[in-house]
Amino acid sequence: MNHSNAQETVYVSTFTDGILDPAKPMLGPVRDGGHIVANTTPGCWGPMITPKLRGGHEVTQPVYVEGAEVGDAIAIHIKSIRVTSLATASGNDKTVEGRFLGDPFVAAKCPDCGTFYPETRIEGIGPEAIRCAQCGADVTPFVFTNGYTMGFDQSREFGVTLPKEAAERIAQDGRRYMATPGGSCQNPIVTFAPHDIVGAIARVRPFLGQLGTTPARPFPDSHNAGDFGSFLLGAPHDYAMTREQLEDRTDGHMDINRVRENATLICPVKVPGGGIYLGDMHAMQGDGEIAGHTTDVSGIVTLQVRVIKGLKIDGPVLLPVEEDLPYLARPYTPEEKSRALQLAQSWGLDRIEETAPISFVGTGANLNEATDNGLKRAADTLGITVPEVLNRATITGAIQIGRHPGVVTVTFLAPIPLLDKAGLAEVVLEHYRLSS
């Protein structure tokens, strides 16, 4: 990668084959402090019914960040997220036996001719429309147990789930309604025309289900997290891993609905240049993504990136927008601090802590493992004990579920001297417009 031609803005319209591979070419480099503008393609369901994709998603080709070295971190500020899809479809899934080897997200195969990662064509609409290009067999490894088609208003402020006739009309021209980028190879999920829920209204609040840095070894993109990653342990396909190898992940697949416009995500650098990638935009999602899936959409995203030298973190650190912080973790107003100091002085204490909010992402095979992971990451980064993190997250923060079964955030008010010692104070104070 030639560093002398680092660009102010890198435009991204190309995508992976579902594998995040540090050996493959990156775009850029983008300069430290520069911008990435990407037209993202829908996440889960489209790639899930496109067997040629090998990772369950279709994320953007990674971008090399000037000056980012292994052991650094990259702060990614989400400047804007704009939904471009006119409609989408989603719902709860079930797998179809005989159409994959061990993992339907990673190793799809044709049940008739046995071809792995087969090319497909679309014949008509409905859940049997995805056909093997070689033999014509119904080849999708997933179908809906309960699904819906949703149309959006022009300003993308809300969506409504649609009846059969509308869903089928959208299914006939799926790529246009989903605004699928030209470089994307996925089959549009609206082709299935699901319509089990009709007339439900949902507010649009878009966010990125995938945002992060390239892992230190090839990972199926949807499995770059502790919960989905656990499916790779001892798997029968080419991307099987050991527990030790799974630690090379960067947890870019979080499905945390607070990773939205004006939030900042701080990501570990585990390969030269970091390799920033994104995708899996969702129109809305409640905490936990309890259905397993939500409204996948295309969109246009603008990011600003900044290298933080020497900040060695194992997983992402999130700085949500202030209104998304748990009540107990919101910064104190000058009046609150004044009253708290008076209280402290009445007990013979002449000072109070100066703190700022911070949110550590933890992932694991289940929510208990994810919580333990987040607690340990917080303790290791700030140089304190896990019991201290437990207490601070209890009285000045919260544990929140990003994705069930195994992504959480450990959020609390951290003393600014600890943030400063870790190398995080500047970015945190700037994000929340606090003085040190």
Side-chain angles (χ1 to χ4, degrees):
M1 183 67 66
N2 184 355
H3 299 271
S4 63
N5 63 346
Q7 303 163 56
E8 167 59 37
T9 305
V10 172
Y11 296 93
V12 184
S13 59
T14 49
F15 307 94
T16 69
D17 62 355
I19 301 298
L20 294 164
D21 188 344
K24 289 188 176 177
M26 295 184 187
L27 299 174
V30 65
R31 74 169 183 85
D32 183 4
H35 295 77
I36 298 169
V37 178
N39 183 190
T40 67
T41 194
C44 295
W45 266 106
M48 284 162 52
I49 64 166
T50 308
K52 70 179 289 185
L53 290 171
R54 301 178 177 221
H57 280 169
E58 189 181 24
V59 298
T60 57
Q61 185 179 353
V63 176
Y64 193 107
V65 180
E66 178 189 34
E69 300 172 303
V70 175
D72 295 336
I74 300 173
I76 307 170
H77 182 60
I78 305 172
K79 306 288 282 187
S80 69
I81 298 179
R82 295 291 179 267
V83 175
T84 53
S85 294
L86 303 170
T88 190
S90 193
N92 187 245
D93 74 71
K94 71 174 180 181
T95 57
V96 184
E97 289 302 322
R99 300 182 184 179
F100 56 92
L101 177 65
D103 189 329
F105 293 95
V106 175
K109 71 170 184 175
C110 176
D112 286 8
C113 68
T115 303
F116 277 94
Y117 312 112
E119 296 280 349
T120 55
R121 61 175 182 264
I122 298 175
E123 294 183 4
I125 63 174
E128 298 178 358
I130 309 303
R131 298 283 169 168
C132 175
Q134 185 163 311
C135 73
D138 180 4
V139 78
T140 178
F142 293 94
V143 292
F144 289 115
T145 56
N146 181 278
Y148 52 87
T149 298
M150 179 179 287
F152 300 109
D153 69 316
Q154 190 171 4
S155 59
R156 308 305 194 275
E157 293 179 1
F158 59 87
V160 175
T161 59
L162 303 174
K164 180 175 185 288
E165 298 76 14
E168 290 181 347
R169 186 166 74 247
I170 289 168
Q172 300 283 358
D173 196 4
R175 288 183 69 89
R176 183 176 77 84
Y177 278 101
M178 293 203 72
T180 310
S184 167
C185 72
Q186 68 177 258
N187 297 316
I189 187 54
V190 290
T191 302
F192 280 17
H195 51 271
D196 294 314
I197 300 174
V198 176
I201 310 167
R203 296 183 181 93
V204 171
R205 178 179 267 185
F207 70 99
L208 293 169
Q210 286 259 22
L211 178 62
T213 45
T214 299
R217 68 176 54 249
F219 262 79
D221 50 15
S222 69
H223 289 32
N224 184 22
D227 52 354
F228 273 68
S230 67
F231 303 158
L232 300 173
L233 298 174
H237 53 71
D238 293 343
Y239 302 101
M241 292 188 190
T242 64
R243 287 199 176 274
E244 185 178 16
Q245 290 169 334
L246 191 57
E247 295 303 309
D248 288 331
R249 71 185 192 268
T250 57
D251 286 343
H253 182 208
M254 295 178 292
D255 286 329
I256 295 170
N257 58 18
R258 298 178 293 287
V259 182
R260 66 183 183 101
E261 187 169 296
N262 293 323
T264 296
L265 188 69
I266 305 166
C267 299
V269 176
K270 297 193 177 184
V271 298
I276 301 292
Y277 72 91
L278 61 152
D280 194 27
M281 185 188 296
H282 297 145
M284 75 282 293
Q285 177 200 293
D287 288 357
E289 195 184 21
I290 199 62
H293 305 283
T294 185
T295 43
D296 310 312
V297 288
S298 302
I300 297 172
V301 180
T302 301
L303 309 173
Q304 185 173 25
V305 297
R306 192 170 82 193
V307 177
I308 305 176
K309 299 300 293 182
L311 174 58
K312 190 169 177 56
I313 51 177
D314 183 51
V317 175
L318 175 63
L319 307 179
V321 298
E322 189 166 333
E323 69 177 285
D324 287 354
L325 287 166
Y327 172 71
L328 296 176
R330 292 175 186 170
Y332 293 109
T333 65
E335 184 200 1
E336 286 176 316
K337 288 198 281 189
S338 175
R339 290 169 57 194
L341 181 58
Q342 289 176 7
L343 172 63
Q345 290 170 338
S346 74
W347 289 94
L349 182 65
D350 62 1
R351 65 178 181 83
I352 54 175
E353 287 184 336
E354 291 291 336
T355 59
I358 193 163
S359 190
F360 292 87
V361 175
T363 74
N366 55 55
L367 291 173
N368 287 338
E369 285 190 19
T371 303
D372 289 344
N373 179 241
L375 293 168
K376 185 176 187 306
R377 285 173 170 177
D380 289 349
T381 301
L382 297 179
I384 58 180
T385 65
V386 168
E388 181 172 343
V389 177
L390 292 171
N391 282 330
R392 289 187 180 276
T394 299
I395 64 172
T396 73
I399 306 296
Q400 294 169 286
I401 301 173
R403 176 179 62 239
H404 193 281
V407 178
V408 305
T409 48
V410 177
T411 307
F412 56 95
L413 289 168
I416 290 174
L418 293 181
L419 294 174
D420 190 42
K421 186 177 179 182
L424 282 162
E426 182 180 353
V427 66
V428 173
L429 295 175
E430 181 182 319
H431 180 79
Y432 291 110
R433 295 179 172 83
L434 300 172
S435 56
S436 56

